PDB file of all heavy atoms in Angstrom:
ATOM      1  N   PRO A 217     225.781-189.959 -51.893  1.00 98.00           N
ATOM      2  CA  PRO A 217     225.223-191.319 -51.954  1.00 98.00           C
ATOM      3  C   PRO A 217     224.921-191.849 -50.545  1.00 98.00           C
ATOM      4  O   PRO A 217     224.931-191.104 -49.562  1.00 98.00           O
ATOM      5  CB  PRO A 217     226.383-192.100 -52.571  1.00 98.00           C
ATOM      6  CG  PRO A 217     227.584-191.457 -51.937  1.00 98.00           C
ATOM      7  CD  PRO A 217     227.244-189.977 -51.792  1.00 98.00           C
ATOM      8  N   ILE A 218     224.679-193.138 -50.465  1.00 98.00           N
ATOM      9  CA  ILE A 218     224.593-193.822 -49.168  1.00 98.00           C
ATOM     10  C   ILE A 218     225.936-193.676 -48.468  1.00 98.00           C
ATOM     11  O   ILE A 218     226.989-193.896 -49.067  1.00 98.00           O
ATOM     12  CB  ILE A 218     224.243-195.310 -49.363  1.00 98.00           C
ATOM     13  CG1 ILE A 218     222.816-195.442 -49.909  1.00 98.00           C
ATOM     14  CG2 ILE A 218     224.413-196.101 -48.078  1.00 98.00           C
ATOM     15  CD1 ILE A 218     222.473-196.833 -50.374  1.00 98.00           C
ATOM     16  N   ALA A 219     225.900-193.294 -47.210  1.00 98.00           N
ATOM     17  CA  ALA A 219     227.120-193.137 -46.420  1.00 98.00           C
ATOM     18  C   ALA A 219     227.452-194.442 -45.699  1.00 98.00           C
ATOM     19  O   ALA A 219     226.581-195.283 -45.476  1.00 98.00           O
ATOM     20  CB  ALA A 219     226.941-192.015 -45.399  1.00 98.00           C
ATOM     21  N   PHE A 220     228.739-194.569 -45.336  1.00 98.00           N
ATOM     22  CA  PHE A 220     229.127-195.634 -44.399  1.00 98.00           C
ATOM     23  C   PHE A 220     228.826-195.084 -43.019  1.00 98.00           C
ATOM     24  O   PHE A 220     229.468-194.136 -42.563  1.00 98.00           O
ATOM     25  CB  PHE A 220     230.608-195.989 -44.547  1.00 98.00           C
ATOM     26  CG  PHE A 220     231.006-197.140 -43.657  1.00 98.00           C
ATOM     27  CD1 PHE A 220     230.793-198.453 -44.059  1.00 98.00           C
ATOM     28  CD2 PHE A 220     231.564-196.905 -42.408  1.00 98.00           C
ATOM     29  CE1 PHE A 220     231.147-199.518 -43.229  1.00 98.00           C
ATOM     30  CE2 PHE A 220     231.917-197.958 -41.577  1.00 98.00           C
ATOM     31  CZ  PHE A 220     231.709-199.268 -41.989  1.00 98.00           C
ATOM     32  N   ASN A 221     227.827-195.646 -42.358  1.00 98.00           N
ATOM     33  CA  ASN A 221     227.329-195.108 -41.093  1.00 98.00           C
ATOM     34  C   ASN A 221     228.022-195.785 -39.922  1.00 98.00           C
ATOM     35  O   ASN A 221     227.593-196.850 -39.453  1.00 98.00           O
ATOM     36  CB  ASN A 221     225.808-195.286 -41.030  1.00 98.00           C
ATOM     37  CG  ASN A 221     225.120-194.590 -42.188  1.00 98.00           C
ATOM     38  OD1 ASN A 221     225.311-193.401 -42.411  1.00 98.00           O
ATOM     39  ND2 ASN A 221     224.334-195.338 -42.944  1.00 98.00           N
ATOM     40  N   CYS A 222     229.127-195.176 -39.493  1.00 98.00           N
ATOM     41  CA  CYS A 222     229.921-195.732 -38.405  1.00 98.00           C
ATOM     42  C   CYS A 222     229.057-195.860 -37.154  1.00 98.00           C
ATOM     43  O   CYS A 222     228.368-194.908 -36.779  1.00 98.00           O
ATOM     44  CB  CYS A 222     231.109-194.825 -38.090  1.00 98.00           C
ATOM     45  SG  CYS A 222     232.191-194.450 -39.463  1.00 98.00           S
ATOM     46  N   PHE A 223     229.098-197.013 -36.542  1.00 98.00           N
ATOM     47  CA  PHE A 223     228.443-197.336 -35.270  1.00 98.00           C
ATOM     48  C   PHE A 223     226.923-197.518 -35.388  1.00 98.00           C
ATOM     49  O   PHE A 223     226.269-197.845 -34.409  1.00 98.00           O
ATOM     50  CB  PHE A 223     228.754-196.295 -34.177  1.00 98.00           C
ATOM     51  CG  PHE A 223     230.194-195.896 -34.091  1.00 98.00           C
ATOM     52  CD1 PHE A 223     230.578-194.566 -34.163  1.00 98.00           C
ATOM     53  CD2 PHE A 223     231.205-196.854 -33.954  1.00 98.00           C
ATOM     54  CE1 PHE A 223     231.909-194.191 -34.095  1.00 98.00           C
ATOM     55  CE2 PHE A 223     232.543-196.499 -33.881  1.00 98.00           C
ATOM     56  CZ  PHE A 223     232.894-195.150 -33.954  1.00 98.00           C
ATOM     57  N   MET A 224     226.345-197.337 -36.580  1.00 98.00           N
ATOM     58  CA  MET A 224     224.892-197.482 -36.709  1.00 98.00           C
ATOM     59  C   MET A 224     224.525-198.956 -36.700  1.00 98.00           C
ATOM     60  O   MET A 224     225.132-199.771 -37.394  1.00 98.00           O
ATOM     61  CB  MET A 224     224.398-196.821 -37.989  1.00 98.00           C
ATOM     62  CG  MET A 224     222.888-196.705 -38.071  1.00 98.00           C
ATOM     63  SD  MET A 224     222.419-195.690 -39.494  1.00 98.00           S
ATOM     64  CE  MET A 224     220.635-195.711 -39.315  1.00 98.00           C
ATOM     65  N   ASN A 225     223.503-199.292 -35.927  1.00 98.00           N
ATOM     66  CA  ASN A 225     223.116-200.678 -35.695  1.00 98.00           C
ATOM     67  C   ASN A 225     221.775-200.952 -36.380  1.00 98.00           C
ATOM     68  O   ASN A 225     220.731-200.522 -35.893  1.00 98.00           O
ATOM     69  CB  ASN A 225     223.026-200.921 -34.179  1.00 98.00           C
ATOM     70  CG  ASN A 225     222.671-202.353 -33.834  1.00 98.00           C
ATOM     71  OD1 ASN A 225     222.764-203.260 -34.665  1.00 98.00           O
ATOM     72  ND2 ASN A 225     222.254-202.566 -32.598  1.00 98.00           N
ATOM     73  N   VAL A 226     221.833-201.662 -37.504  1.00 98.00           N
ATOM     74  CA  VAL A 226     220.631-201.945 -38.299  1.00 98.00           C
ATOM     75  C   VAL A 226     220.510-203.460 -38.498  1.00 98.00           C
ATOM     76  O   VAL A 226     220.978-204.005 -39.497  1.00 98.00           O
ATOM     77  CB  VAL A 226     220.678-201.205 -39.652  1.00 98.00           C
ATOM     78  CG1 VAL A 226     219.385-201.448 -40.444  1.00 98.00           C
ATOM     79  CG2 VAL A 226     220.906-199.710 -39.461  1.00 98.00           C
ATOM     80  N   PRO A 227     219.895-204.155 -37.536  1.00 97.00           N
ATOM     81  CA  PRO A 227     219.684-205.594 -37.715  1.00 97.00           C
ATOM     82  C   PRO A 227     218.702-205.864 -38.859  1.00 97.00           C
ATOM     83  O   PRO A 227     217.725-205.142 -39.036  1.00 97.00           O
ATOM     84  CB  PRO A 227     219.085-206.045 -36.379  1.00 97.00           C
ATOM     85  CG  PRO A 227     219.359-204.941 -35.412  1.00 97.00           C
ATOM     86  CD  PRO A 227     219.439-203.687 -36.220  1.00 97.00           C
ATOM     87  N   VAL A 228     219.005-206.918 -39.625  1.00 97.00           N
ATOM     88  CA  VAL A 228     218.169-207.301 -40.757  1.00 97.00           C
ATOM     89  C   VAL A 228     217.672-208.729 -40.540  1.00 97.00           C
ATOM     90  O   VAL A 228     218.453-209.624 -40.234  1.00 97.00           O
ATOM     91  CB  VAL A 228     218.962-207.219 -42.083  1.00 97.00           C
ATOM     92  CG1 VAL A 228     218.094-207.655 -43.252  1.00 97.00           C
ATOM     93  CG2 VAL A 228     219.495-205.803 -42.301  1.00 97.00           C
ATOM     94  N   ASP A 229     216.364-208.944 -40.701  1.00 96.00           N
ATOM     95  CA  ASP A 229     215.789-210.277 -40.605  1.00 96.00           C
ATOM     96  C   ASP A 229     216.135-211.033 -41.890  1.00 96.00           C
ATOM     97  O   ASP A 229     215.745-210.614 -42.984  1.00 96.00           O
ATOM     98  CB  ASP A 229     214.273-210.177 -40.438  1.00 96.00           C
ATOM     99  CG  ASP A 229     213.613-211.528 -40.255  1.00 96.00           C
ATOM    100  OD1 ASP A 229     213.743-212.392 -41.152  1.00 96.00           O
ATOM    101  OD2 ASP A 229     212.953-211.711 -39.211  1.00 96.00           O
ATOM    102  N   GLY A 230     216.868-212.104 -41.743  1.00 93.00           N
ATOM    103  CA  GLY A 230     217.352-212.843 -42.902  1.00 93.00           C
ATOM    104  C   GLY A 230     216.259-213.520 -43.710  1.00 93.00           C
ATOM    105  O   GLY A 230     216.465-213.863 -44.868  1.00 93.00           O
ATOM    106  N   THR A 231     215.089-213.710 -43.113  1.00 97.00           N
ATOM    107  CA  THR A 231     213.989-214.366 -43.812  1.00 97.00           C
ATOM    108  C   THR A 231     213.113-213.368 -44.555  1.00 97.00           C
ATOM    109  O   THR A 231     212.825-213.541 -45.741  1.00 97.00           O
ATOM    110  CB  THR A 231     213.125-215.175 -42.824  1.00 97.00           C
ATOM    111  OG1 THR A 231     213.958-216.139 -42.181  1.00 97.00           O
ATOM    112  CG2 THR A 231     211.990-215.890 -43.544  1.00 97.00           C
ATOM    113  N   THR A 232     212.720-212.308 -43.859  1.00 97.00           N
ATOM    114  CA  THR A 232     211.781-211.346 -44.458  1.00 97.00           C
ATOM    115  C   THR A 232     212.480-210.163 -45.114  1.00 97.00           C
ATOM    116  O   THR A 232     211.885-209.476 -45.946  1.00 97.00           O
ATOM    117  CB  THR A 232     210.828-210.788 -43.390  1.00 97.00           C
ATOM    118  OG1 THR A 232     211.582-210.001 -42.456  1.00 97.00           O
ATOM    119  CG2 THR A 232     210.093-211.909 -42.675  1.00 97.00           C
ATOM    120  N   GLY A 233     213.728-209.886 -44.708  1.00 96.00           N
ATOM    121  CA  GLY A 233     214.424-208.708 -45.202  1.00 96.00           C
ATOM    122  C   GLY A 233     214.071-207.451 -44.445  1.00 96.00           C
ATOM    123  O   GLY A 233     214.623-206.381 -44.716  1.00 96.00           O
ATOM    124  N   ALA A 234     213.151-207.549 -43.481  1.00 97.00           N
ATOM    125  CA  ALA A 234     212.786-206.380 -42.677  1.00 97.00           C
ATOM    126  C   ALA A 234     213.975-205.966 -41.814  1.00 97.00           C
ATOM    127  O   ALA A 234     214.767-206.802 -41.368  1.00 97.00           O
ATOM    128  CB  ALA A 234     211.582-206.699 -41.801  1.00 97.00           C
ATOM    129  N   PHE A 235     214.109-204.654 -41.602  1.00 96.00           N
ATOM    130  CA  PHE A 235     215.184-204.173 -40.741  1.00 96.00           C
ATOM    131  C   PHE A 235     214.633-203.200 -39.719  1.00 96.00           C
ATOM    132  O   PHE A 235     213.540-202.650 -39.889  1.00 96.00           O
ATOM    133  CB  PHE A 235     216.310-203.520 -41.546  1.00 96.00           C
ATOM    134  CG  PHE A 235     215.903-202.279 -42.299  1.00 96.00           C
ATOM    135  CD1 PHE A 235     215.883-201.040 -41.672  1.00 96.00           C
ATOM    136  CD2 PHE A 235     215.558-202.351 -43.632  1.00 96.00           C
ATOM    137  CE1 PHE A 235     215.498-199.904 -42.356  1.00 96.00           C
ATOM    138  CE2 PHE A 235     215.178-201.216 -44.335  1.00 96.00           C
ATOM    139  CZ  PHE A 235     215.143-199.976 -43.692  1.00 96.00           C
ATOM    140  N   THR A 236     215.391-203.014 -38.650  1.00 96.00           N
ATOM    141  CA  THR A 236     215.072-202.023 -37.630  1.00 96.00           C
ATOM    142  C   THR A 236     216.330-201.218 -37.350  1.00 96.00           C
ATOM    143  O   THR A 236     217.450-201.669 -37.613  1.00 96.00           O
ATOM    144  CB  THR A 236     214.579-202.672 -36.319  1.00 96.00           C
ATOM    145  OG1 THR A 236     215.569-203.616 -35.877  1.00 96.00           O
ATOM    146  CG2 THR A 236     213.252-203.383 -36.510  1.00 96.00           C
ATOM    147  N   VAL A 237     216.152-200.018 -36.844  1.00 96.00           N
ATOM    148  CA  VAL A 237     217.267-199.192 -36.401  1.00 96.00           C
ATOM    149  C   VAL A 237     217.304-199.261 -34.882  1.00 96.00           C
ATOM    150  O   VAL A 237     216.359-198.825 -34.212  1.00 96.00           O
ATOM    151  CB  VAL A 237     217.131-197.733 -36.890  1.00 96.00           C
ATOM    152  CG1 VAL A 237     218.264-196.879 -36.349  1.00 96.00           C
ATOM    153  CG2 VAL A 237     217.094-197.686 -38.424  1.00 96.00           C
ATOM    154  N   GLU A 238     218.368-199.843 -34.358  1.00 97.00           N
ATOM    155  CA  GLU A 238     218.500-200.046 -32.915  1.00 97.00           C
ATOM    156  C   GLU A 238     219.612-199.159 -32.356  1.00 97.00           C
ATOM    157  O   GLU A 238     220.362-198.535 -33.107  1.00 97.00           O
ATOM    158  CB  GLU A 238     218.808-201.521 -32.626  1.00 97.00           C
ATOM    159  CG  GLU A 238     217.794-202.506 -33.187  1.00 97.00           C
ATOM    160  CD  GLU A 238     216.420-202.416 -32.542  1.00 97.00           C
ATOM    161  OE1 GLU A 238     216.340-201.897 -31.400  1.00 97.00           O
ATOM    162  OE2 GLU A 238     215.436-202.850 -33.174  1.00 97.00           O
ATOM    163  N   ALA A 239     219.723-199.123 -31.040  1.00 97.00           N
ATOM    164  CA  ALA A 239     220.778-198.339 -30.390  1.00 97.00           C
ATOM    165  C   ALA A 239     222.142-198.840 -30.853  1.00 97.00           C
ATOM    166  O   ALA A 239     222.368-200.047 -30.956  1.00 97.00           O
ATOM    167  CB  ALA A 239     220.674-198.454 -28.877  1.00 97.00           C
ATOM    168  N   PRO A 240     223.076-197.911 -31.144  1.00 98.00           N
ATOM    169  CA  PRO A 240     224.430-198.342 -31.494  1.00 98.00           C
ATOM    170  C   PRO A 240     225.039-199.203 -30.386  1.00 98.00           C
ATOM    171  O   PRO A 240     224.729-199.040 -29.209  1.00 98.00           O
ATOM    172  CB  PRO A 240     225.187-197.020 -31.643  1.00 98.00           C
ATOM    173  CG  PRO A 240     224.140-196.015 -31.988  1.00 98.00           C
ATOM    174  CD  PRO A 240     222.926-196.444 -31.206  1.00 98.00           C
ATOM    175  N   LEU A 241     225.914-200.116 -30.787  1.00 98.00           N
ATOM    176  CA  LEU A 241     226.616-200.975 -29.831  1.00 98.00           C
ATOM    177  C   LEU A 241     227.873-200.309 -29.281  1.00 98.00           C
ATOM    178  O   LEU A 241     228.527-200.851 -28.389  1.00 98.00           O
ATOM    179  CB  LEU A 241     226.981-202.305 -30.493  1.00 98.00           C
ATOM    180  CG  LEU A 241     225.809-203.109 -31.067  1.00 98.00           C
ATOM    181  CD1 LEU A 241     226.312-204.394 -31.710  1.00 98.00           C
ATOM    182  CD2 LEU A 241     224.760-203.398 -29.999  1.00 98.00           C
ATOM    183  N   SER A 242     228.216-199.129 -29.810  1.00 98.00           N
ATOM    184  CA  SER A 242     229.437-198.446 -29.386  1.00 98.00           C
ATOM    185  C   SER A 242     229.304-197.913 -27.966  1.00 98.00           C
ATOM    186  O   SER A 242     228.260-197.407 -27.562  1.00 98.00           O
ATOM    187  CB  SER A 242     229.769-197.294 -30.347  1.00 98.00           C
ATOM    188  OG  SER A 242     228.656-196.433 -30.507  1.00 98.00           O
ATOM    189  N   LYS A 243     230.411-198.053 -27.229  1.00 98.00           N
ATOM    190  CA  LYS A 243     230.518-197.512 -25.874  1.00 98.00           C
ATOM    191  C   LYS A 243     231.442-196.299 -25.910  1.00 98.00           C
ATOM    192  O   LYS A 243     232.167-196.092 -26.883  1.00 98.00           O
ATOM    193  CB  LYS A 243     231.073-198.579 -24.927  1.00 98.00           C
ATOM    194  CG  LYS A 243     230.246-199.862 -24.868  1.00 98.00           C
ATOM    195  CD  LYS A 243     230.862-200.921 -23.967  1.00 98.00           C
ATOM    196  CE  LYS A 243     232.258-201.345 -24.343  1.00 98.00           C
ATOM    197  NZ  LYS A 243     232.388-201.963 -25.659  1.00 98.00           N
ATOM    198  N   ALA A 244     231.429-195.518 -24.855  1.00 98.00           N
ATOM    199  CA  ALA A 244     232.257-194.315 -24.785  1.00 98.00           C
ATOM    200  C   ALA A 244     233.717-194.661 -25.077  1.00 98.00           C
ATOM    201  O   ALA A 244     234.294-195.565 -24.462  1.00 98.00           O
ATOM    202  CB  ALA A 244     232.142-193.666 -23.412  1.00 98.00           C
ATOM    203  N   GLY A 245     234.300-193.953 -26.045  1.00 98.00           N
ATOM    204  CA  GLY A 245     235.703-194.155 -26.406  1.00 98.00           C
ATOM    205  C   GLY A 245     235.952-195.154 -27.505  1.00 98.00           C
ATOM    206  O   GLY A 245     237.084-195.268 -27.988  1.00 98.00           O
ATOM    207  N   ASP A 246     234.921-195.886 -27.935  1.00 98.00           N
ATOM    208  CA  ASP A 246     235.107-196.846 -29.026  1.00 98.00           C
ATOM    209  C   ASP A 246     235.433-196.112 -30.323  1.00 98.00           C
ATOM    210  O   ASP A 246     235.016-194.966 -30.538  1.00 98.00           O
ATOM    211  CB  ASP A 246     233.846-197.695 -29.235  1.00 98.00           C
ATOM    212  CG  ASP A 246     233.727-198.828 -28.229  1.00 98.00           C
ATOM    213  OD1 ASP A 246     234.709-199.112 -27.514  1.00 98.00           O
ATOM    214  OD2 ASP A 246     232.628-199.433 -28.155  1.00 98.00           O
ATOM    215  N   SER A 247     236.159-196.801 -31.215  1.00 98.00           N
ATOM    216  CA  SER A 247     236.565-196.160 -32.465  1.00 98.00           C
ATOM    217  C   SER A 247     236.620-197.164 -33.604  1.00 98.00           C
ATOM    218  O   SER A 247     236.604-198.381 -33.398  1.00 98.00           O
ATOM    219  CB  SER A 247     237.935-195.485 -32.303  1.00 98.00           C
ATOM    220  OG  SER A 247     238.946-196.451 -32.086  1.00 98.00           O
ATOM    221  N   ILE A 248     236.688-196.605 -34.808  1.00 98.00           N
ATOM    222  CA  ILE A 248     236.949-197.369 -36.028  1.00 98.00           C
ATOM    223  C   ILE A 248     238.035-196.601 -36.781  1.00 98.00           C
ATOM    224  O   ILE A 248     237.999-195.365 -36.829  1.00 98.00           O
ATOM    225  CB  ILE A 248     235.679-197.584 -36.868  1.00 98.00           C
ATOM    226  CG1 ILE A 248     235.981-198.420 -38.130  1.00 98.00           C
ATOM    227  CG2 ILE A 248     234.989-196.276 -37.207  1.00 98.00           C
ATOM    228  CD1 ILE A 248     234.733-198.866 -38.890  1.00 98.00           C
TER     229      ILE A 248
END
Side-chain angles (χ1 to χ4, degrees):
I218 293 169
F220 184 83
N221 301 305
C222 305
F223 315 126
M224 191 171 181
N225 182 16
V226 183
V228 178
D229 183 301
T231 301
T232 66
F235 63 84
T236 55
V237 177
E238 304 293 338
L241 302 179
S242 53
K243 302 177 302 298
D246 280 348
S247 66
I248 181 171

